[in-house]
């Protein structure tokens, strides 16, 4: 089915471990985004990508790494997880060069770091 | 840079009553404005968007919002609340400058009492 899928849906890991969250979209959207959702903060932008091999930092990028070798995939890696990175992570994508197009969101990954 | 303020982290209404969720934005360039809804354990779903056409925007599920430039507001309304409207609602702004990503408000949780 067409859409945007995130995996895993739930993840528990320990501090200091590396963890990768996957995001895959089937629309061939040029733009992709990673947000984290924390109580009282809404969603905050971690990283975004305008096209394959083009990525840039968002509002809260520290401790995260992204790559985009293919248009449809945009993985997010926590190189050495910390408890402050416990959150719900959402991937989104949209088409077009103008920001008036809506973003489409995955169902999220709930990440707990012990 | 853009920002969004949602007044009221929790709003409670009776079934059949008017729903009013407040959103004020700040943007140095013409904004695009969005309302998203989030049901438990799900991603965000677009309710409606303003992209500089009509100032009164109609969305899904009977919701509408009015863009008021003089008040820098984009409040969300629904004439008659239904139990199924209980969810978290996010107002977001973007523009054709900078990161071209969404900047979200902190969200408003809507409760609907029977």
């Amino acid at each position: 089915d067409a859409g945007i899928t995130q995996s895993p849906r739930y993840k528990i890991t320990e501090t200091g471990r590396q963890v990768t969250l996957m995001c895959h979209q089937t629309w061939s959207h040029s733009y992709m985004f990673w947000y984290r959702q924390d109580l009282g903060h809404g969603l905050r932008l971690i990283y975004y990508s305008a096209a394959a091999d083009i990525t840039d930092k968002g509002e809260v990028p520290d401790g995260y790494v992204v790559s985009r070798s293919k248009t449809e995939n945009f993985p997010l890696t926590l190189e050495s997880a910390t408890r402050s990175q416990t959150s719900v992570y959402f991937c989104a994508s949209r088409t077009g060069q103008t920001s008036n197009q809506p973003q489409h969101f995955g169902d999220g990954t709930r990440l707990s770091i012990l | 840079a853009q920002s969004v303020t949602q007044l009221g982290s929790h709003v409670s209404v009776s079934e059949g009553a008017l729903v009013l969720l407040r959103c004020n934005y700040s943007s140095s360039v013409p904004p695009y404005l969005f309302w998203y809804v989030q049901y438990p354990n799900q991603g965000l779903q677009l309710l409606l968007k303003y992209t500089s056409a009509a100032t009164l925007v109609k969305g899904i599920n009977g919701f509408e919002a009015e863009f008021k430039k003089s008040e820098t507001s984009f409040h969300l309304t629904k004439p008659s609340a239904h139990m199924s409207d209980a969810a978290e609602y996010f107002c977001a702004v973007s523009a054709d400058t900078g990161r071209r990503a969404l900047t979200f408000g902190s969200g408003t949780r809507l409760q609907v009492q029977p």
Side-chain angles (χ1 to χ4, degrees), chain A residues 9 37 94 97 99 103, chain B residues 36 38 41 94-96 100:
Chain A
R9 288 295 314 278
Q37 182 178 22
R94 70 162 172 83
Q97 291 302 310
S99 301
Q103 292 183 18
Chain B
Y36 283 86
Q38 184 182 31
N41 293 321
S94 69
D96 284 329
R100 299 171 185 251

Side-chain angles (χ1 to χ4, degrees), chain A residues 9-10 31 33 35 37 40-43 45 48 57-59 90 94 97-107 110, chain B residues 32 34 36 38 41-46 49-51 88 90 94-107:
Chain A
R9 288 295 314 278
Y10 303 91
Y31 275 82
F33 307 85
Y35 296 90
Q37 182 178 22
H41 290 279
L43 281 78
L45 181 68
Y48 69 103
K57 295 178 180 179
E59 182 184 354
F90 287 98
R94 70 162 172 83
Q97 291 302 310
T98 61
S99 301
N100 63 355
Q101 297 300 315
Q103 292 183 18
H104 301 270
F105 286 80
D107 286 335
R110 186 174 296 274
Chain B
Y32 305 121
F34 303 82
Y36 283 86
Q38 184 182 31
N41 293 321
Q42 294 186 22
L44 279 69
Q45 178 183 355
L46 179 71
K49 65 176 183 178
Y50 166 77
T51 59
E88 185 134 27
F90 292 95
S94 69
D96 284 329
T97 60
R99 298 182 180 127
R100 299 171 185 251
L102 290 169
T103 299
F104 285 88
S106 56

Side-chain angles (χ1 to χ4, degrees), chain B residues 14-73:
Chain B
S14 298
E15 192 173 18
L18 171 72
V19 175
L20 171 60
L21 305 183
R22 299 179 185 275
C23 172
N24 288 90
Y25 71 92
S26 172
S27 179
S28 56
V29 297
Y32 305 121
L33 293 158
F34 303 82
W35 275 101
Y36 283 86
V37 60
Q38 184 182 31
Y39 298 102
N41 293 321
Q42 294 186 22
L44 279 69
Q45 178 183 355
L46 179 71
L47 273 178
L48 48 80
K49 65 176 183 178
Y50 166 77
T51 59
S52 76
T55 56
L56 182 61
V57 180
K58 294 188 183 297
I60 63 171
N61 301 338
F63 284 93
E64 64 181 35
E66 186 172 9
F67 173 71
K68 292 186 177 181
K69 184 177 179 180
S70 61
E71 299 178 8
T72 61
S73 68

Side-chain angles (χ1 to χ4, degrees), chain A residues 5-61:
Chain A
T5 56
Q6 294 183 234
S7 61
R9 288 295 314 278
Y10 303 91
K11 176 74 176 179
I12 300 173
T13 191
E14 296 176 340
T15 55
R17 292 194 180 253
Q18 182 181 82
V19 59
T20 296
L21 310 184
M22 305 301 293
C23 179
H24 175 78
Q25 52 106 352
T26 59
W27 293 300
S28 298
H29 284 169
S30 54
Y31 275 82
M32 295 188 75
F33 307 85
W34 275 106
Y35 296 90
R36 60 177 289 173
Q37 182 178 22
D38 303 289
L39 198 62
H41 290 279
L43 281 78
R44 292 179 291 176
L45 181 68
I46 305 171
Y47 269 94
Y48 69 103
S49 169
D53 296 322
I54 301 175
T55 63
D56 207 346
K57 295 178 180 179
E59 182 184 354
V60 289

